[in-house]
Amino acid sequence: MDKEQLFQRVESMIISSTKTPKYVSFSTIKMADLFGVDYTEIERGISELLEEGRLQKSHIPELPAYEVYMLPSQTKEA
């Protein structure tokens, strides 16, 4: 799985979000289906993007509880 392609897809999902601050929640299984790869490749790519600081992950405690992803520049604005 090309990490840059994955990042561009997630980034466009975040930017097109109507939430403030902008964030997105997604299923790695559905993303894997879109890319035609195993979901573990998506999880690995997301983990690498988090380690590099290109994405940030947070948790929304209200039900339904979601793990959400944001761009680092947007967490500073919040």
Side-chain angles (χ1 to χ4, degrees):
M1 171 78 230
D2 181 31
K3 187 171 55 174
E4 284 306 311
Q5 184 181 13
L6 177 61
F7 176 72
Q8 289 173 1
R9 182 60 164 252
V10 173
E11 180 183 42
S12 68
M13 291 168 61
I14 293 169
I15 290 171
S16 66
S17 171
T18 59
K19 300 164 185 74
T20 303
K22 291 182 180 272
Y23 65 86
V24 68
S25 178
F26 57 84
S27 163
T28 54
I29 294 172
K30 288 182 182 178
M31 289 275 286
D33 190 41
L34 288 172
F35 284 110
V37 298
D38 188 67
Y39 78 96
T40 57
E41 290 186 50
I42 300 294
E43 290 178 349
R44 188 175 332 116
I46 294 295
S47 293
E48 289 174 9
L49 292 169
L50 289 167
E51 288 174 17
E52 293 171 4
R54 296 175 70 189
L55 288 179
Q56 291 190 338
K57 181 167 89 170
S58 186
H59 184 77
I60 297 179
E62 295 87 30
L63 292 176
Y66 291 115
E67 287 185 341
V68 296
Y69 298 89
M70 297 176 271
L71 297 174
S73 61
Q74 294 174 331
T75 56
K76 294 174 188 170
E77 296 170 6

